[in-house]
Amino acid sequence: MVQVRLTGVSKKYGDVPAVEKLDLLVRDREFLTILGPSGGGKSTTLRLIAGLETPDEGDIHIDDLRINELPPRDRNMTMVFQNYALFPHMTAEANIAFPLVVKHTPKEEVEKRVKEVSSLLKISHLLKRKPKEMSGGEQQRVALGRAIVKKPNVFLMDEPLSNLDAALRTEMRMELKRLQKQLQTTLIYVTHDQTEALSMADRIAVIKDGKLLQIGSPEEIYNQPADAWIASFIGNPPMNLISCTLARNNDRTTLHAAEDCVLEIPKSLISKLTDLEIGAKLKLGVRPEDIEIGSKGATLFCEAEIYLLESTGDSTVIDFKMGDSIVKLKTKAGYKAKIGERAQLVFTGSKMLLFDAETGRAL
Ligand SMILES: Nc1ncnc2c1ncn2[C@@H]1O[C@H](COP(=O)(O)OP(=O)(O)OP(=O)(O)O)[C@@H](O)[C@H]1O
Ligand SMILES: [Mg+2]
């Protein structure tokens, strides 16, 4: 069993806090993605786990062993970076074998392991080539081969696919996921790309400003973001966050989103509002795919002006102007409408979320 646990871990560079009081449990054989914006503390977290940095505060455990002071070479982890450096003068075979050769592993064992790893990564035909004779994706697979040949307890990967083109990146994502399931090794994968995180991870840990904002399955992070920032970071396009005020109209509690947009509160959200006063500032979260163009009959509708139409190939994204904000709606490809026209927006109530406008926390 290999689980990695961080408790109250902090790390500063001079006065700059890179990681602050971080609690994180990576489960045995889990594919955990650390997702967050640039400068959020993702690489620092990974380097702390690898032992390349020492925490100022807090503890790091592998299973029951506290490893704060354990040197990196004794942790049996391998790290793959964005700029994977293969030895240019060595063949793919020699590159993969390198970590075993330096440990004086017997020759037969080295040959056997290199063969296994190359067949797993589908690079057996490349073994005699040097890095400059291979494509970026092939070199990347050789670098992965070198990382897994040691049979580490934990894989640590820091944006390992960001140098590849879009098609290769998509292919490698799936290969990595398959490989991790096959090898049954705990894998911690750092990325700032939400699509990558959603498509690969068993669980996603969202880290921003050195703090853990939320940890959960891709579905939880997508459907129940704990925070308005996460809501606006995930999804393509991300969730709309519409500023609104809690109001009362003829004994009914409503959300006042703009001059001509007063929304009835969906039943699913009423219970969350009991402690709030009339006039409270909120953000209404609704995904572009949960808004439709409809008619006034619906309870949750609102009129707005078409501001822009964007075609993404497989869908159309329509931007509406609502007060000062732009609200995006995603609909089928080829949708025809004129800029400047007014239309009725219908919200699919069951999927709406509310956030406190000040703290950003989900209600
Ligand atoms: N060696 C260092 N010296 C000083 N400050 C550092 C050092 N490494 C990181 N930092 C700072 O710590 C914070 C977290 O950096 P980190 O590299 O962990 O972010 P990140 O989430 O990996 O970002 P990116 O997505 O850009 O790689 C940043 O404010 C960064 O400027
Ligand atoms: Mg980084």
Side-chain angles (χ1 to χ4, degrees):
M1 195 180 95
V2 185
Q3 76 172 20
V4 180
R5 187 158 37 97
L6 279 72
T7 11
V9 170
S10 298
K11 175 75 191 171
K12 273 187 182 171
Y13 293 107
D15 291 339
V16 183
V19 168
E20 276 191 279
K21 299 213 177 344
L22 186 65
D23 292 326
L24 183 66
L25 176 72
V26 187
R27 297 174 186 153
D28 183 35
R29 284 173 273 182
E30 173 170 54
F31 194 131
L32 182 102
T33 300
I34 299 180
L35 175 70
S38 185
K42 304 183 297 297
S43 297
T44 307
T45 305
L46 212 61
R47 293 172 60 81
L48 284 160
I49 297 171
L52 303 172
E53 304 286 354
T54 330
D56 301 331
E57 272 178 49
D59 291 315
I60 304 178
H61 285 85
I62 296 182
D63 299 331
D64 294 329
L65 182 70
R66 182 176 174 279
I67 57 164
N68 284 39
E69 282 85 32
L70 196 69
R73 65 173 181 279
D74 297 333
R75 296 190 182 198
N76 196 16
M77 298 178 177
T78 49
M79 192 149 168
V80 184
F81 300 93
Q82 178 178 348
N83 297 310
Y84 47 94
L86 294 174
F87 300 114
H89 58 286
M90 287 187 192
T91 59
E93 186 172 24
N95 266 287
I96 297 171
F98 185 78
L100 301 177
V101 172
V102 293
K103 285 207 310 201
H104 309 292
T105 314
K107 199 160 170 265
E108 303 79 61
E109 173 72 10
V110 174
E111 278 171 11
K112 184 169 152 267
R113 298 269 285 274
V114 171
K115 210 169 152 199
E116 272 171 18
V117 165
S118 345
S119 127
L120 198 63
L121 288 164
K122 304 197 186 79
I123 48 173
S124 307
H125 61 296
L126 300 171
L127 289 178
K128 298 293 169 213
R129 295 199 206 168
K130 292 192 176 161
K132 66 172 190 306
E133 299 159 342
M134 291 183 276
S135 75
E138 289 166 348
Q139 291 181 39
Q140 183 74 65
R141 277 190 294 214
V142 173
L144 278 173
R146 195 174 58 184
I148 66 179
V149 79
K150 279 199 290 187
K151 298 199 174 156
N153 282 334
V154 185
F155 286 125
L156 305 173
M157 303 197 178
D158 195 347
E159 315 233 11
L161 307 183
S162 45
N163 282 349
L164 305 180
D165 70 43
L168 207 56
R169 199 157 60 219
T170 313
E171 188 190 323
M172 284 297 294
R173 274 179 201 157
M174 292 309 114
E175 297 233 334
L176 256 185
K177 188 171 170 173
R178 184 186 57 85
L179 195 68
Q180 188 264 342
K181 293 291 165 242
Q182 212 164 339
L183 298 172
Q184 304 233 327
T185 308
T186 308
L187 193 157
I188 311 176
Y189 187 101
V190 162
T191 180
H192 61 264
D193 181 338
Q194 49 102 16
T195 316
E196 194 157 283
L198 289 172
S199 65
M200 295 173 99
D202 294 323
R203 287 193 308 155
I204 299 175
V206 184
I207 292 187
K208 179 171 174 274
D209 300 330
K211 299 191 184 84
L212 180 72
L213 294 186
Q214 187 174 6
I215 183 163
S217 67
E219 293 73 29
E220 282 165 340
I221 303 280
Y222 188 84
N223 293 320
Q224 299 294 325
D227 180 280
W229 182 85
I230 301 174
S232 68
F233 191 66
I234 305 258
N236 195 13
M239 187 178 270
N240 291 297
L241 291 174
I242 307 168
S243 299
C244 51
T245 311
L246 198 62
R248 190 168 324 269
N249 278 6
N250 308 326
D251 288 342
R252 286 181 312 139
T253 316
T254 52
L255 290 172
H256 189 119
E259 215 37 60
D260 44 6
C261 183
V262 176
L263 297 170
E264 199 146 327
I265 295 171
K267 286 199 185 73
S268 59
L269 293 177
I270 285 181
S271 63
K272 311 214 179 229
L273 300 170
T274 43
D275 294 340
L276 295 179
E277 306 204 341
I278 298 304
K281 302 278 181 219
L282 301 170
K283 292 220 185 271
L284 177 68
V286 53
R287 294 225 171 258
E289 52 273 33
D290 297 329
I291 309 179
E292 289 164 19
I293 294 181
S295 63
K296 277 191 179 172
T299 45
L300 284 163
F301 85 95
C302 176
E303 206 177 272
E305 183 187 314
I306 297 180
Y307 187 70
L308 192 68
L309 287 158
E310 307 164 51
S311 172
T312 62
D314 60 350
S315 64
T316 305
V317 176
I318 313 174
D319 289 15
F320 286 92
K321 204 159 163 45
M322 191 185 282
D324 293 337
S325 32
I326 296 291
V327 175
K328 288 179 187 282
L329 172 160
K330 196 166 175 179
T331 186
K332 59 181 190 299
Y335 185 87
K336 296 274 177 280
K338 279 207 195 83
I339 290 175
E341 259 177 18
R342 290 184 78 76
Q344 254 93 46
L345 303 186
V346 178
F347 296 86
T348 321
S350 61
K351 290 201 179 157
M352 290 182 2
L353 299 173
L354 281 171
F355 301 92
D356 182 311
E358 210 164 292
T359 62
R361 298 307 291 174
L363 297 185

